[in-house]
mmCIF file of all heavy atoms in Angstrom:
data_model
loop_
_atom_site.group_PDB
_atom_site.id
_atom_site.type_symbol
_atom_site.label_atom_id
_atom_site.label_comp_id
_atom_site.label_asym_id
_atom_site.label_seq_id
_atom_site.Cartn_x
_atom_site.Cartn_y
_atom_site.Cartn_z
ATOM 1 N N GLU A 156 -52.755 55.742 -45.739
ATOM 2 C CA GLU A 156 -53.030 55.192 -47.069
ATOM 3 C C GLU A 156 -51.860 55.372 -48.039
ATOM 4 O O GLU A 156 -52.060 55.347 -49.260
ATOM 5 C CB GLU A 156 -54.317 55.786 -47.646
ATOM 6 C CG GLU A 156 -55.541 55.496 -46.796
ATOM 7 C CD GLU A 156 -56.830 56.003 -47.412
ATOM 8 O OE1 GLU A 156 -56.790 56.510 -48.551
ATOM 9 O OE2 GLU A 156 -57.886 55.877 -46.757
ATOM 10 N N ASN A 157 -50.671 55.548 -47.498
ATOM 11 C CA ASN A 157 -49.462 55.535 -48.335
ATOM 12 C C ASN A 157 -48.973 54.088 -48.432
ATOM 13 O O ASN A 157 -47.918 53.722 -47.900
ATOM 14 C CB ASN A 157 -48.375 56.426 -47.715
ATOM 15 C CG ASN A 157 -48.762 57.891 -47.718
ATOM 16 O OD1 ASN A 157 -49.331 58.388 -48.691
ATOM 17 N ND2 ASN A 157 -48.468 58.592 -46.636
ATOM 18 N N TYR A 158 -49.789 53.279 -49.096
ATOM 19 C CA TYR A 158 -49.578 51.832 -49.075
ATOM 20 C C TYR A 158 -48.275 51.400 -49.741
ATOM 21 O O TYR A 158 -47.606 50.478 -49.273
ATOM 22 C CB TYR A 158 -50.757 51.123 -49.755
ATOM 23 C CG TYR A 158 -52.090 51.431 -49.116
ATOM 24 C CD1 TYR A 158 -53.145 51.977 -49.860
ATOM 25 C CD2 TYR A 158 -52.303 51.187 -47.758
ATOM 26 C CE1 TYR A 158 -54.373 52.260 -49.272
ATOM 27 C CE2 TYR A 158 -53.537 51.476 -47.163
ATOM 28 C CZ TYR A 158 -54.561 52.000 -47.927
ATOM 29 O OH TYR A 158 -55.762 52.297 -47.348
ATOM 30 N N ALA A 159 -47.902 52.055 -50.831
ATOM 31 C CA ALA A 159 -46.686 51.664 -51.547
ATOM 32 C C ALA A 159 -45.441 51.883 -50.685
ATOM 33 O O ALA A 159 -44.550 51.036 -50.618
ATOM 34 C CB ALA A 159 -46.574 52.442 -52.857
ATOM 35 N N GLN A 160 -45.400 53.046 -50.004
ATOM 36 C CA GLN A 160 -44.255 53.337 -49.136
ATOM 37 C C GLN A 160 -44.218 52.381 -47.948
ATOM 38 O O GLN A 160 -43.143 51.903 -47.547
ATOM 39 C CB GLN A 160 -44.338 54.785 -48.632
ATOM 40 C CG GLN A 160 -44.069 55.825 -49.703
ATOM 41 C CD GLN A 160 -44.234 57.238 -49.149
ATOM 42 O OE1 GLN A 160 -45.346 57.743 -49.020
ATOM 43 N NE2 GLN A 160 -43.123 57.864 -48.818
ATOM 44 N N ALA A 161 -45.387 52.130 -47.406
ATOM 45 C CA ALA A 161 -45.466 51.189 -46.279
ATOM 46 C C ALA A 161 -45.012 49.800 -46.724
ATOM 47 O O ALA A 161 -44.261 49.116 -46.011
ATOM 48 C CB ALA A 161 -46.894 51.137 -45.749
ATOM 49 N N ALA A 162 -45.460 49.392 -47.912
ATOM 50 C CA ALA A 162 -45.113 48.063 -48.418
ATOM 51 C C ALA A 162 -43.606 47.908 -48.586
ATOM 52 O O ALA A 162 -43.051 46.823 -48.341
ATOM 53 C CB ALA A 162 -45.822 47.805 -49.744
ATOM 54 N N ASP A 163 -42.933 48.969 -49.012
ATOM 55 C CA ASP A 163 -41.474 48.910 -49.184
ATOM 56 C C ASP A 163 -40.779 48.581 -47.865
ATOM 57 O O ASP A 163 -39.832 47.791 -47.816
ATOM 58 C CB ASP A 163 -40.943 50.232 -49.734
ATOM 59 C CG ASP A 163 -41.259 50.430 -51.206
ATOM 60 O OD1 ASP A 163 -41.548 49.428 -51.886
ATOM 61 O OD2 ASP A 163 -41.220 51.582 -51.679
ATOM 62 N N ILE A 164 -41.254 49.193 -46.782
ATOM 63 C CA ILE A 164 -40.662 48.943 -45.470
ATOM 64 C C ILE A 164 -41.021 47.546 -44.978
ATOM 65 O O ILE A 164 -40.165 46.808 -44.477
ATOM 66 C CB ILE A 164 -41.112 49.996 -44.450
ATOM 67 C CG1 ILE A 164 -40.678 51.394 -44.905
ATOM 68 C CG2 ILE A 164 -40.529 49.692 -43.060
ATOM 69 C CD1 ILE A 164 -41.200 52.514 -44.020
ATOM 70 N N TYR A 165 -42.296 47.178 -45.124
ATOM 71 C CA TYR A 165 -42.714 45.839 -44.715
ATOM 72 C C TYR A 165 -41.920 44.765 -45.480
ATOM 73 O O TYR A 165 -41.529 43.742 -44.913
ATOM 74 C CB TYR A 165 -44.207 45.633 -44.995
ATOM 75 C CG TYR A 165 -45.137 46.439 -44.131
ATOM 76 C CD1 TYR A 165 -46.260 47.066 -44.686
ATOM 77 C CD2 TYR A 165 -44.924 46.570 -42.751
ATOM 78 C CE1 TYR A 165 -47.138 47.796 -43.897
ATOM 79 C CE2 TYR A 165 -45.796 47.302 -41.965
ATOM 80 C CZ TYR A 165 -46.911 47.921 -42.543
ATOM 81 O OH TYR A 165 -47.777 48.637 -41.763
ATOM 82 N N LYS A 166 -41.692 45.021 -46.761
ATOM 83 C CA LYS A 166 -40.974 44.064 -47.593
ATOM 84 C C LYS A 166 -39.534 43.898 -47.099
ATOM 85 O O LYS A 166 -39.003 42.776 -47.057
ATOM 86 C CB LYS A 166 -40.981 44.523 -49.049
ATOM 87 C CG LYS A 166 -40.450 43.478 -50.023
ATOM 88 C CD LYS A 166 -40.633 43.968 -51.459
ATOM 89 C CE LYS A 166 -40.127 42.916 -52.448
ATOM 90 N NZ LYS A 166 -40.310 43.382 -53.858
ATOM 91 N N ASP A 167 -38.906 45.018 -46.740
ATOM 92 C CA ASP A 167 -37.534 44.953 -46.228
ATOM 93 C C ASP A 167 -37.493 44.188 -44.905
ATOM 94 O O ASP A 167 -36.602 43.351 -44.682
ATOM 95 C CB ASP A 167 -36.995 46.364 -46.024
ATOM 96 C CG ASP A 167 -35.562 46.363 -45.532
ATOM 97 O OD1 ASP A 167 -34.666 45.952 -46.293
ATOM 98 O OD2 ASP A 167 -35.328 46.758 -44.374
ATOM 99 N N LEU A 168 -38.460 44.448 -44.019
ATOM 100 C CA LEU A 168 -38.522 43.730 -42.753
ATOM 101 C C LEU A 168 -38.849 42.258 -42.979
ATOM 102 O O LEU A 168 -38.325 41.384 -42.287
ATOM 103 C CB LEU A 168 -39.577 44.365 -41.836
ATOM 104 C CG LEU A 168 -39.235 45.759 -41.297
ATOM 105 C CD1 LEU A 168 -40.451 46.373 -40.588
ATOM 106 C CD2 LEU A 168 -38.050 45.690 -40.342
ATOM 107 N N HIS A 169 -39.700 41.996 -43.940
ATOM 108 C CA HIS A 169 -40.054 40.622 -44.304
ATOM 109 C C HIS A 169 -38.808 39.826 -44.688
ATOM 110 O O HIS A 169 -38.652 38.659 -44.330
ATOM 111 C CB HIS A 169 -41.049 40.657 -45.468
ATOM 112 C CG HIS A 169 -41.208 39.366 -46.203
ATOM 113 N ND1 HIS A 169 -42.026 38.349 -45.766
ATOM 114 C CD2 HIS A 169 -40.653 38.914 -47.357
ATOM 115 C CE1 HIS A 169 -41.963 37.329 -46.610
ATOM 116 N NE2 HIS A 169 -41.137 37.654 -47.582
ATOM 117 N N ALA A 170 -37.894 40.489 -45.379
ATOM 118 C CA ALA A 170 -36.688 39.806 -45.858
ATOM 119 C C ALA A 170 -35.566 39.782 -44.828
ATOM 120 O O ALA A 170 -34.774 38.824 -44.792
ATOM 121 C CB ALA A 170 -36.191 40.490 -47.135
ATOM 122 N N ASN A 171 -35.490 40.810 -43.977
ATOM 123 C CA ASN A 171 -34.280 40.963 -43.154
ATOM 124 C C ASN A 171 -34.487 40.969 -41.643
ATOM 125 O O ASN A 171 -33.492 40.854 -40.907
ATOM 126 C CB ASN A 171 -33.568 42.270 -43.542
ATOM 127 C CG ASN A 171 -33.176 42.285 -45.011
ATOM 128 O OD1 ASN A 171 -32.549 41.353 -45.497
ATOM 129 N ND2 ASN A 171 -33.543 43.343 -45.722
#
Side-chain angles (χ1 to χ4, degrees):
E156 300 184 4
N157 294 320
Y158 302 123
Q160 289 177 280
D163 286 341
I164 300 175
Y165 291 138
K166 189 174 181 179
D167 181 67
L168 291 171
H169 163 82
N171 301 309

